[in-house]
């Protein structure tokens, strides 16, 4: 979209230059050729000026970078300035600033309406006063409750006595050991029964 917009502007400027030079009409192919040459010329000037800007350790170019680029391309800047002052041709159309900005939405739009949070009831501790920040647009969702990012109440009370904590850890450890002992005894009993069944079947087959 931007390339087509710029190409159309250059086409109008090229047509005005042709008219100023005395052309009565021009074919579409010839005009497109002139436009392509002008685009390559402007691109070459911009690229060369950008290189001079980077060479000077700057991020934004200025008129001196453009003049250095024109001199690097063996162009007579004085002749160009005199031609521009002598043949001051205004542009044929009013050019809006690019890129175009979208119009602002009306205040009665649903998106722009502020979302009011539900009213807090008595005894509701979860809903607290929400901060109103000027940097947050009104069409964004309401700010979350303070308890979600500042402080979360702990419902389960943990023991603070060190002896009680140590006793609970010992009890948990003993419970795990008991479960492991039962599991080992069950596994060893299963292995013993399976080995005895295998040996009896073996001796029975030899007797037969």
């Amino acid at each position: 979209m931007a390339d087509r917009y710029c190409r159309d502007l250059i086409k109008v400027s090229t047509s005005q230059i042709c008219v100023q030079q005395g052309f009565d009409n021009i074919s579409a192919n010839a005009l497109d050729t002139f436009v392509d040459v002008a685009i390559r010329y402007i691109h070459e000037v911009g690229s060369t000026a950008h290189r001079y800007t980077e060479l000077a350790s700057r991020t934004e170019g200025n008129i001196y970078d453009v003049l250095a680029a024109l001199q690097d391309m063996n162009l007579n800047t004085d002749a160009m300035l005199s031609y521009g002052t002598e043949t001051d041709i205004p542009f044929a159309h009013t050019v809006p600033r690019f890129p175009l900005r979208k119009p602002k939405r009306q205040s009665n739009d649903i998106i722009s309406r502020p979302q009011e949070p539900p009213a807090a009831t008595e005894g509701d501790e979860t809903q607290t006063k929400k901060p109103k920040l000027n940097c947050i647009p009104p069409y964004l969702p309401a700010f979350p409750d303070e308890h979600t990012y500042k402080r979360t109440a702990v419902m389960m009370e943990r023991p603070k006595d060190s002896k009680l904590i140590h006793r609970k850890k010992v009890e948990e450890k003993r419970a795990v050991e008991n479960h492991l002992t039962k599991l080992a005894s069950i596994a060893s009993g299963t292995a013993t029964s399976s080995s005895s069944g295998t040996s009896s079947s073996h001796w029975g087959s030899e007797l037969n």
Side-chain angles (χ1 to χ4, degrees):
M1 183 66 185
D3 295 339
R4 182 178 178 182
Y5 178 79
C6 297
R7 185 179 180 85
D8 292 340
L9 293 181
I10 294 175
K11 183 179 289 187
V12 174
S13 300
T14 306
S15 302
Q16 288 185 276
I17 293 173
C18 292
V19 171
Q20 195 272 337
Q21 293 296 324
F23 287 91
D24 295 332
N25 53 23
I26 187 172
S27 62
N29 294 332
L31 183 60
D32 290 336
T33 302
F34 286 156
V35 170
D36 292 336
V37 172
I39 290 174
R40 291 188 178 184
Y41 174 77
I42 296 172
H43 185 270
E44 184 66 23
V45 172
S47 300
T48 307
H50 182 68
R51 287 195 293 269
Y52 278 107
T53 303
E54 292 181 343
L55 186 62
S57 300
R58 286 184 280 103
T59 57
E60 295 182 359
N62 51 31
I63 187 61
Y64 299 104
D65 297 328
V66 178
L67 293 176
L70 294 175
Q71 292 177 0
D72 194 13
M73 297 172 63
N74 296 325
L75 297 175
N76 191 353
T77 56
D78 296 333
M80 293 182 64
L81 292 175
S82 62
Y83 175 78
T85 53
E86 292 175 0
T87 58
D88 189 7
I89 305 174
F91 198 72
H93 304 284
T94 302
V95 182
R97 187 174 181 180
F98 188 81
L100 297 176
R101 295 182 179 273
K102 293 183 179 180
K104 295 183 179 180
R105 298 181 181 273
Q106 299 296 330
S107 59
N108 57 356
D109 196 350
I110 297 176
I111 301 177
S112 61
R113 291 178 183 175
Q115 298 180 0
E116 297 181 357
T121 58
E122 295 182 358
D124 191 0
E125 298 179 355
T126 58
Q127 291 185 356
T128 57
K129 294 183 179 180
K130 300 179 181 179
K132 295 181 180 180
L133 302 177
N134 296 328
C135 59
I136 300 177
Y139 55 82
L140 291 179
F143 208 73
D145 296 329
E146 292 185 0
H147 75 276
T148 59
Y149 61 91
K150 283 190 176 181
R151 180 179 178 276
T152 303
V154 180
M155 303 304 295
M156 183 181 64
E157 295 183 358
R158 296 182 179 179
K160 299 180 180 180
D161 189 4
S162 59
K163 293 182 179 180
L164 184 59
I165 294 173
H166 180 69
R167 187 183 303 172
K168 284 191 173 184
K169 288 183 178 180
V170 171
E171 291 176 358
E172 291 176 358
K173 186 177 180 181
R174 288 179 181 176
V176 172
E177 290 177 353
N178 292 333
H179 288 302
L180 291 176
T181 304
K182 291 180 181 180
L183 183 61
S185 62
I186 293 172
S188 62
T190 304
T192 304
S193 61
S194 61
S195 61
S196 62
T198 304
S199 60
S200 61
S201 62
H202 177 69
W203 286 107
S205 61
E206 287 185 353
L207 292 174
N208 293 330

